[in-house]
Amino acid sequence: MRPIPRAILIHSISHAPRVSVDQYNKPTYATPATVVNYVRCEPVKASALKALGEMKDDKLVVYYDCANSSPAGIVFKELDRITFNGVNYTIRTIVDFSPHHVEIMLK
């Protein structure tokens, strides 16, 4: 498969890994957030129904290309924080299409 063209990867995001959870179940994140360049952010309206009837609405999908996005080899984990256009999002789901690209669903 060919990499996603760099002309399409026009956005930049900040990635802050989750470090721990405090006694009030509030997550704490690493302070130095990694800036990830050459990604694609697309708004989406998707929802998933859990067993208890709770709806989860995704707000954004980030496309991280394994060849053209930088820095290369960054590891995303669920519940990490992504900042795009000054808005903080939480990673809900990661779909890995290695070695081509990674799709990150944000809530």
Side-chain angles (χ1 to χ4, degrees), residues 16-22 25-31 79-81:
R18 187 176 75 153
V19 178
S20 64
V21 178
D22 67 5
N25 204 22
K26 185 175 180 179
T28 57
Y29 298 97
T31 355
L79 302 178
D80 285 355
R81 182 188 315 177

Side-chain angles (χ1 to χ4, degrees), residues 41-102:
C41 298
E42 290 289 328
V44 67
K45 186 67 176 173
S47 59
L49 185 61
K50 295 185 82 166
L52 299 175
E54 181 181 347
M55 295 293 281
K56 297 288 183 182
D57 289 330
D58 289 338
K59 306 291 185 213
L60 205 65
V61 176
V62 176
Y63 296 94
Y64 174 86
D65 186 64
C66 294
N68 287 326
S69 297
S70 68
I74 191 166
V75 177
F76 297 100
K77 295 180 183 169
E78 291 182 2
L79 302 178
D80 285 355
R81 182 188 315 177
I82 299 289
T83 305
F84 176 66
N85 283 344
V87 180
N88 292 328
Y89 298 96
T90 304
I91 296 177
R92 188 176 71 83
T93 308
I94 300 169
V95 182
D96 190 3
F97 293 101
S98 284
H100 188 259
H101 72 280
V102 177

